[in-house]
Each structure stands twice: as C-alpha cells, then as structure tokens.
Amino acid sequence: LEDYTQNRLLSLKAHFFADRGDVSKALFEKTQYATWAEEWYSAYKASADMSINIEPRHAAYAYGFAGDAAKALFETTQNIEWAKRWYEAAHLSAEMTSIIDPRHSAIVSGIAGNAATAVYKETRQREWYSRAILSYRIFLNYYDLNPNPELKSLAEYAESTIRFLKNRLPPLRK
C-alpha cells in the first residue's frame, strides 16, 4: 500500500509538471519569450524523468513534448545545444513507444532525424550524420510496412534528406 501511495503521489506530481509545461508552451506561443520555452522544456523533461519507472507511457509522450520545446528553443536561439536536446528527447520518446505505439515511434524517429540533421549541419560530426540517417530509416521502414497518404510527404522528406546528407558527407580521412 505504501508503494502504491508513493507511486500515486509521484504520478500526480508528474502530471502537474506536464500541466505546467502546457501553460508554459501557451505563454511561449503568445509572447515568443525564450524563457517560457525553457520552462516548457524543463517542466516536460521533469515530468518524464519522474514518471519513467511508474508510468512509462506518460514519460514517453512527455519526452516528445520536451523535444517540441527544445526544437522551438533551437529555432529561436540557434543554439546547437537545444538541437541536441531536441534529438535526445525525440529519440527517447521513439524508443519508449516502439512497442506500445509503433506509428508514434516512427514519426518521432523522423523528428529525431530532423534534429540530428540540424546538429550535423552545424557540427559536421559523423556521429550526427549517422544518427540522422538511422532515425530516418526507422521512420521509412515503418512507412514501407504501413503506407499511408498522411505520412507520404514525411516519407518523401526523409528520403530527400537522406540524399542531401549522403551528398554532404565529407570523405573519410586516410
């Protein structure tokens, strides 16, 4: 009973943090102040981190929302660290939903590919090139097995970005 009570309290706290993230997102959208987007990110990340062991489905989606905030911050600030956080959050969300929600997992993998591509364009580090390609391929594998007109433009974008990346990869050092 004590474990149940502790888990229930932690779950409630995680959901309150998610609500705080929703409010911060709305304030960011209204004001475009980066501080609200930072609060949006930190609230959802905290919600995900605290619920990962007791409510993994909530945590998986909360990481995705944290990723949305990190993307907004990257676009607002052009700080590459936010693009890295965008990737990490999207990647975690994709991994955690691969069994429970394969469609969501595939879409968020594509989003992780977008984040990794943004990091690669700035850093030219092969690690980010590889992460982008892998993320897009996960999405495309899902799409190939589940063709859907709603996802067609995303599939075309993933394919064109893979072609772009392959044309930009610097030669291997000897």
Side-chain angles (χ1 to χ4, degrees), residues 10 19 28 51 58-60 73 83 103 109 118 131 165:
L10 194 55
D19 291 341
F28 170 72
S51 62
H58 170 81
L73 279 158
R103 184 178 194 272
S109 288
R131 288 178 182 185
L165 288 168

Side-chain angles (χ1 to χ4, degrees), residues 130-141:
S130 298
R131 288 178 182 185
I133 298 285
L134 179 61
S135 296
Y136 287 132
R137 286 199 175 132
I138 290 169
F139 170 75
L140 290 170
N141 287 340

Side-chain angles (χ1 to χ4, degrees), residues 38-154:
E38 289 169 5
E39 181 61 32
W40 168 21
Y41 171 82
S42 63
Y44 264 110
K45 175 124 178 17
S47 177
D49 289 346
M50 71 180 64
S51 62
I52 197 164
N53 292 321
I54 58 165
E55 214 176 327
R57 180 182 289 267
H58 170 81
Y61 294 108
Y63 281 126
F65 295 133
D68 294 341
K71 176 186 182 207
L73 279 158
F74 171 65
E75 290 172 346
T76 301
T77 66
Q78 294 302 302
N79 180 335
I80 199 67
E81 292 307 312
W82 285 114
K84 291 176 181 178
R85 290 179 191 170
W86 172 25
Y87 169 82
E88 291 300 330
H91 180 72
L92 265 172
S93 181
E95 280 188 339
M96 293 177 71
T97 56
S98 64
I99 303 295
I100 61 172
D101 190 348
R103 184 178 194 272
H104 173 82
S105 179
I107 291 169
V108 182
S109 288
I111 292 168
N114 294 345
T117 299
V119 176
Y120 174 73
K121 285 178 178 179
E122 288 293 317
T123 66
R124 293 292 194 235
Q125 293 173 341
R126 187 175 295 273
E127 149 192 19
W128 291 101
Y129 165 89
S130 298
R131 288 178 182 185
I133 298 285
L134 179 61
S135 296
Y136 287 132
R137 286 199 175 132
I138 290 169
F139 170 75
L140 290 170
N141 287 340
Y142 173 85
Y143 178 76
D144 289 344
L145 295 171
N146 304 280
N148 178 329
E150 291 176 20
L151 300 179
K152 186 175 188 214
S153 64
L154 294 174

